[in-house]
Amino acid sequence: MRKRTKHVNKKGMGTVEIVIIIAVLVSLALLFREGLMSYGKKVMNYCFDESKIQSQF
């Protein structure tokens, strides 16, 4: 007698994993929203600070 093996369809596993990862990232972003916003503002102010531009003349 031959043993029959079940063929399990795993096509949806990648989608479920991606949705869980996105949910975790969104919840972390909401949890640390104030810290991330202040960090982003500091980075933007540093990047666009005109006092750091050196004149070519």
Side-chain angles (χ1 to χ4, degrees):
M1 274 187 144
R2 276 184 4 188
K3 285 187 177 180
R4 289 189 179 190
T5 59
K6 271 189 176 179
H7 294 287
V8 179
N9 187 1
K10 294 184 178 181
K11 288 183 181 178
M13 290 299 290
T15 305
V16 172
E17 291 169 357
I18 290 174
V19 168
I20 290 172
I21 290 170
I22 291 173
V24 169
L25 289 176
V26 167
S27 63
L28 285 174
L30 290 175
L31 186 64
F32 298 110
R33 178 177 47 200
E34 294 296 323
L36 290 172
M37 291 293 287
S38 66
Y39 177 73
K41 286 179 184 177
K42 287 178 188 176
V43 168
M44 293 301 244
N45 287 336
Y46 180 79
C47 289
F48 296 112
D49 189 12
E50 292 187 18
S51 67
K52 298 195 183 328
I53 298 174
Q54 296 178 357
S55 118
Q56 294 179 347
F57 300 108

